[in-house]
Amino acid sequence: MRTSTVRSVGLSVAVAAALTSVAACGGSDDKGGDNRGSAVVKADPIAALLDVQKKTGGESSAKVEGTTQMGTTMSMKQSGTIDWTDGLTGTMEITYTGGTMADAMKQNGGTGAMQARYFKDGYAVNMGEAFARQAGGKHWINYGYADLAKLAGASGEAMKQQMQNTTPDQGVKSLLASGDVKKVGQEDVRGVSATHYSGTVDVAALTAKNSKLDADQLDQLKKQLSDAGITTEQVDIWVDENDLLVKKTERGQMKTGELNSTVYYSDYGTKVSVEEPPANDTVDFTDLVKQQQGAAGGAG
């Protein structure tokens, strides 16, 4: 397999970012809430968000659509359906629209468009015809969360936990955990009247609080975040009259530029079905890494 092919393999690791942006920057899988009266809820942003967390977290699936930009590294758009009843499953259509990743994909003959299918223990990505021509005719790469965690260290372990416990109400939990949340007011979101809430989240502190990383992993994660220039994020959410999340944005700074994510949620309760790609059309990510290491060793 050509080196350029294996180099392009690394691009699809960022497919995780497409779904991570759907989830916000972390949270536990606790679906607790309270039963405060609506009169109290509307007057107090914290109480209101507890109600939103309970209502949105109590749903099982939704349609999602959005965009993600990570500095000069990549920009992408994504749309699909996700179910979070038992881990996270679903299908997303993802298109890289700019950045160094999109450039590298074009250089390798790719279009920048791919489909990702998410399962409880990992996800698979259809890399398209250009990749298949260099990979023995196989279109799909299979990524196990456990394998990615080993390769990426603490950030990989945090991503693994987040992906396996993700729900749309994580943005709500982020704001609640931050202790910094305010009600902005009523705004229109795609024709729906929604209440806008905003706050600032300390990414490392929130991830540490809501993950099950040990002390060494937390230290490593903080260093990785610091190296990337990621410290705080502004999280904004919009909630409809039924206390369901309809939009979420995250904004922050990285060393490579701005981090900016916008996600829209709709059709709660929609039916989600996802099939494993054919085994004979799939190559495992760990096998590609071994091939790359072997090629590098041979070249040396």
Side-chain angles (χ1 to χ4, degrees), residues 46-256:
I46 298 296
L49 288 180
L50 285 169
D51 239 32
V52 173
Q53 176 191 331
K54 183 178 180 181
K55 187 69 181 292
T56 300
E59 294 289 339
S60 60
S61 62
K63 289 184 180 179
V64 295
E65 178 185 346
T67 58
T68 303
Q69 178 181 350
M70 298 179 71
T72 57
T73 304
M74 71 166 185
S75 58
M76 65 165 73
K77 59 182 180 180
Q78 66 263 14
S79 64
T81 57
I82 56 170
D83 184 296
W84 54 92
T85 307
D86 181 23
L88 190 136
T89 60
T91 302
M92 300 279 279
E93 303 294 336
I94 298 168
T95 302
Y96 287 90
T97 54
T100 55
M101 286 192 171
D103 293 341
M105 294 184 81
K106 289 177 182 177
Q107 289 172 7
N108 286 325
T111 63
M114 58 183 66
Q115 183 184 90
R117 297 181 184 177
Y118 298 92
F119 306 95
K120 189 173 182 180
D121 298 318
Y123 62 95
V125 183
N126 188 327
M127 296 292 291
E129 292 298 332
F131 174 81
R133 286 194 294 270
Q134 303 175 58
K138 296 183 178 182
H139 296 79
W140 293 85
I141 305 176
N142 184 62
Y143 296 82
Y145 292 139
D147 294 329
L148 289 176
K150 290 178 184 176
L151 287 170
S155 63
E157 182 62 32
M159 185 198 77
K160 171 190 170 187
Q161 293 180 20
Q162 181 174 339
M163 297 286 277
Q164 291 180 320
N165 295 317
T166 189
T167 58
D169 66 327
Q170 302 293 45
V172 183
K173 294 176 182 178
S174 299
L175 287 180
L176 285 168
S178 74
D180 169 40
V181 57
K182 63 180 181 292
K183 179 178 177 179
V184 179
Q186 291 296 121
E187 298 174 14
D188 182 89
V189 177
R190 293 186 165 182
V192 174
S193 178
T195 306
H196 179 186
Y197 298 92
S198 181
T200 302
V201 174
D202 182 316
V203 178
L206 183 63
T207 303
K209 176 180 178 179
N210 291 323
S211 68
K212 298 176 183 177
L213 303 179
D214 61 31
D216 289 341
Q217 289 174 322
L218 284 174
D219 287 341
Q220 184 184 352
L221 174 64
K222 289 176 181 178
K223 182 180 185 305
Q224 289 173 328
L225 290 171
S226 176
D227 289 345
I230 300 171
T231 54
T232 61
E233 288 184 2
Q234 181 177 328
V235 177
D236 290 74
I237 65 170
W238 288 258
V239 180
D240 70 10
E241 63 181 3
N242 297 313
D243 287 331
L244 292 174
L245 186 65
V246 293
K247 178 183 177 182
K248 174 179 64 67
T249 65
E250 292 178 65
R251 293 191 300 278
Q253 282 296 131
M254 306 171 64
K255 286 186 176 176
T256 59

